[in-house]
Amino acid sequence: MCLTFLGKGGSQVNDCPSLYVTESSYLVQGWSTGRPDTVEIPHLLLGFLEPESFLGSPLMDTGRGTFTVIGRPITDADTLGQLDLADDEAAIEVPKLERTFYGAAAARRLVGPVPAMSK
């Protein structure tokens, strides 16, 4: 798997977790959670996503400045060899999806104000 480094930060050891991109997906290196398909990452890691894209995976806010992310566990030796994983880290692959929705507020600006509901 060909990886392009996008950014890292959040811990005192090697500034991990880290975010990488492939042709069609993101590789997320984060803290192990006890589930092979789930890692924990700091909120700041999402700031390194490529423009007009997002992680195609549900994010669960932990309430302590991190998200848990679900994806396909990375197990192949070639890909793992490209990463600098700490003992408490794992890596998952998640789809890279194109952002096409910019929120309800943006949509209202295009069509005008929402009419008031009558009582």
Side-chain angles (χ1 to χ4, degrees):
M1 181 181 295
C2 181
L3 302 177
T4 301
F5 174 76
L6 295 176
K8 64 182 179 175
S11 83
Q12 304 299 326
V13 180
N14 295 335
D15 272 338
C16 294
S18 302
L19 183 66
Y20 300 84
V21 68
T22 71
E23 278 188 30
S24 61
S25 64
Y26 284 110
L27 186 139
V28 182
Q29 176 183 335
W31 297 297
S32 298
T33 63
R35 291 186 49 175
D37 65 344
T38 305
V39 296
E40 187 172 345
I41 62 170
H43 288 171
L44 68 86
L45 206 61
L46 298 182
F48 298 111
L49 293 172
E50 291 188 326
E52 307 301 323
S53 72
F54 64 96
L55 294 179
S57 172
L59 301 172
M60 177 68 73
D61 196 321
T62 65
R64 57 179 182 262
T66 62
F67 293 112
T68 56
V69 184
I70 299 172
R72 183 183 67 81
I74 300 296
T75 57
D76 68 277
D78 289 339
T79 303
L80 290 173
Q82 297 177 61
L83 306 175
D84 184 18
L85 287 171
D87 291 339
D88 65 343
E89 291 182 327
I92 60 171
E93 181 181 21
V94 298
K96 179 178 101 174
L97 299 179
E98 180 182 351
R99 183 175 178 212
T100 57
F101 178 70
Y102 294 89
R108 283 193 294 276
R109 283 193 297 272
L110 294 175
V111 298
V114 175
M117 298 288 291
S118 60
K119 294 183 180 182

